Amino acid sequence: MNIYVGNLSYGVDESQLKGIFEQYGEVSSVKIINDKFTGRSKGFGFVEMEDDDAARQAIEEMNGHSVDNRNMVVNEARPRTENRERRRY
């Protein structure tokens, strides 16, 4: 299951996020999304877990959990869709 993790502190890195979710089961991958110009975290990322039951438990328990004084928003990631009206400069 792919899990969306939002409202992350800019100081949280992928290894720290992985460690948080490993409490619930094996983490397949972690990706924090960075700004392509500054390289700085955009404050959200994705955690992938193979075991759906463990992922659901992690979502339930981690949603609203505080990390670096920020309450994370954690839920099942929605499939990515193409936004055809997106402006490109």
Side-chain angles (χ1 to χ4, degrees):
M1 176 182 293
N2 198 15
I3 302 168
Y4 167 83
V5 184
N7 200 36
L8 286 173
S9 168
Y10 298 121
V12 173
D13 64 19
E14 291 178 354
S15 63
Q16 185 179 2
L17 190 58
K18 181 178 182 181
I20 291 168
F21 280 84
E22 281 181 328
Q23 300 173 64
Y24 301 96
E26 185 178 342
V27 174
S28 305
S29 67
V30 176
K31 177 69 177 162
I32 293 179
I33 306 304
N34 295 317
D35 183 273
K36 66 181 175 181
F37 298 109
T38 66
R40 184 176 142 187
S41 168
K42 286 189 167 188
F44 71 94
F46 298 92
V47 175
E48 191 167 348
M49 299 178 76
E50 293 297 323
D51 183 345
D52 287 353
D53 291 332
R56 284 186 194 91
Q57 182 181 3
I59 290 168
E60 185 177 316
E61 293 184 19
M62 296 307 296
N63 189 34
H65 183 78
S66 179
V67 174
D68 288 350
N69 296 318
R70 296 195 64 165
N71 294 337
M72 294 187 300
V73 174
V74 182
N75 52 48
E76 187 172 350
R78 294 187 300 254
R80 186 174 180 177
T81 60
E82 286 297 318
N83 185 351
R84 302 244 180 240
E85 296 181 30
R86 186 175 176 181
R87 291 184 180 178
R88 296 177 193 241
Y89 296 94

